[in-house]
Amino acid sequence: MDTENYLNHPTFGLLYQICVLGEDQELFTTLYAQRLFFLVSASTTGMKFEPVTRADARLMVENRLRLLRRTGQMKEYDQLQVIHHRTFQ
């Protein structure tokens, strides 16, 4: 989480990575408005963009925060906590 990652969506333009959710899954939001959220899955056949609601995106980030806290990854937890506060508060 030390670097910022961006992805170019064919319709919605530049997306900003909020966090990694699991193996080959990441949560992105639109860069400027941060109102549209996408679960992006990478596979050998390409990338899949799945739109998710703001409430679902918030829940995914909160679940990730719990996992990081439970596993003792405090640096990543603190960084994601800042992103959570900036995006959802």
Side-chain angles (χ1 to χ4, degrees):
M1 300 263 325
D2 289 336
T3 61
E4 294 181 352
N5 293 319
Y6 299 91
L7 190 61
N8 194 18
H9 187 279
T11 304
F12 297 105
L14 207 54
L15 302 178
Y16 172 75
Q17 181 191 36
I18 295 177
C19 69
V20 174
L21 294 173
E23 186 94 15
D24 299 325
Q25 284 192 331
E26 302 173 43
L27 184 65
F28 282 82
T29 186
T30 51
L31 181 62
Y32 299 105
Q34 294 187 353
R35 296 289 182 236
L36 300 173
F37 296 88
F38 298 90
L39 180 60
V40 179
S41 303
S43 68
T44 57
T45 59
M47 300 186 88
K48 177 182 168 190
F49 292 86
E50 179 183 340
V52 294
T53 66
R54 182 176 178 82
D56 287 343
R58 183 177 185 162
L59 183 62
M60 290 176 192
V61 172
E62 289 170 353
N63 286 338
R64 180 69 177 168
L65 282 167
R66 279 192 281 282
L67 176 68
L68 291 173
R69 186 179 62 226
R70 192 172 36 240
T71 58
Q73 300 177 51
M74 297 313 292
K75 180 180 178 187
E76 291 86 355
Y77 175 84
D78 292 339
Q79 292 171 340
L80 187 54
Q81 184 75 6
V82 170
I83 292 170
H84 176 270
H85 183 68
R86 185 179 63 220
T87 306
F88 298 108
Q89 304 296 325

